[in-house]
Amino acid sequence: MSRKNLNIGLFGFGVVGHGLYEVLQKTPGLQATIKNICVKDKDKKRQIGPENFTYDKNDILNDPDINVIVELIDDADAAYEIVSAALKKGKAVVSANKKMVAEHFQELLQLQRENNVPLLYEAAACASMPIIRNLEEYYDNDLLESIEGIVNGSTNYILTKTFAENLSYDAALKQAQDLGFAESNPILDTGGFDAKYKLQILLAHSFGYIAKPEELYNIGIDGIGDLELKYAKEKGLKIKLVAQAFKGAEGSISAFVIPKFVGPEDRLYHVDDVFNGVITKTSFADTHFFVGRGAGAYPTASAVLSDISALSYDYRYEYKKIFRSENQSLTDDVTLKVLLRHTRENADALKLYFDTVEESYTNNNIGYVTGNISLTNLKKVQDANTGDRSFILLNIVTEKEAAQQVAAAVAN
Ligand SMILES: NC(=O)c1ccc[n+]([C@@H]2O[C@H](COP(=O)([O-])OP(=O)(O)OC[C@H]3O[C@@H](n4cnc5c(N)ncnc54)[C@H](OP(=O)(O)O)[C@@H]3O)[C@@H](O)[C@H]2O)c1
């Protein structure tokens, strides 16, 4: 099959945009040229001459010679305007913007179909790790049972530094920002929102279920305190921000982002720094493990490059699972074994939300409970005004285990 010539209109020349510019210089085999670059700040110093830039998006969108738009800006609303306009004009699009894709998944799907043009966004989930195309192509069947992983490079970097080097949370966040891993607005990373947007995209490509981002529950790493870090260190565990989605009975799906304790036997324990790791579980193949750099200029640019290359062969996502899937719904009817850190005065009230309590400890003004709690009750505790608290997941409890543990607790 012969490759198409691609004339690229690039939006954004920050960490990833500049990375892509350099990566493209080094891959002459790909017949792709950047014809024009749109940025925002007229006064910013650039590494290449002003003749390469425009500040008016229409210079690119209305250029008939440009057949591919690569959108690498840090503003999800402006990105949606650019991407939707490009698709309406029949231009293929590559984007790395997970917030934009997650918030407008349904509309973007519609625009691709109506205008018969592709939108690819491999870099939007797990940066350099080729997960979306694998979910779309390899797991093109009903056998995928679960997907679980570290999908945010900056929080993994921060957690790694706080564990391995005893760096303070603020110092580790500053390092992640200086290295270009972190989102411009850090709460997107540390609050678990970036991971949630990625989970929403992975969920659509895993099970064909399009969730609205607000339907997926997310707890970030910004509430993690010294007690949880000490608990982890004493037990030889690490804390990772884990996004997961798994199938339950009768078309039900659970999906959420919650920090999790992981031990050395868990593959995610060994995924450190800016790396991402995703474990898929299928009915017959058991598990697969993907690992790769989850942020940074060149790794992210490499996924964008792969999408550009795929466009040159007319590749597009077919979204077969979305069009096939019926009667699926999200459920909070799932039991989680967690550690809840709380203040002393809230201890007794908070225990009432648990199905079973395994361990309970208080010292001075602070304490923790471990035990089983439903996702429904966890949300109630997290969203209500229940003092300073944080949840860390220990593991998911199967229905059978949950019933046995309740029966044992009643018998005692
Ligand atoms: N950094 C990573 O490791 C990474 C990893 C995966 C995905 N991503 C995603 O990649 C995208 C870009 O991230 P980044 O880290 O490269 O961001 P960045 O370094 O902050 O750069 C953002 C760029 O967007 C431009 N821009 C902002 N609003 C614009 C507008 N309305 N029109 C035209 N240009 C506009 C800025 O212009 P000025 O230069 O004029 O300010 C800047 O060049 C984001 O969606 C991010 O989530 C990033």
Side-chain angles (χ1 to χ4, degrees), residues 292-306:
R293 286 187 182 273
Y298 288 163
T300 311
S302 104
V304 175
L305 185 76
S306 176

Side-chain angles (χ1 to χ4, degrees), residues 13-16 40-41 44 46 73-74 96 98 180 183 295-296 300:
F13 201 67
V15 174
V16 187
K40 201 164 87 173
D41 184 348
K44 208 184 249 185
R46 313 275 172 192
I73 73 172
D74 58 342
K98 50 251 137 170
E183 290 294 324
T300 311

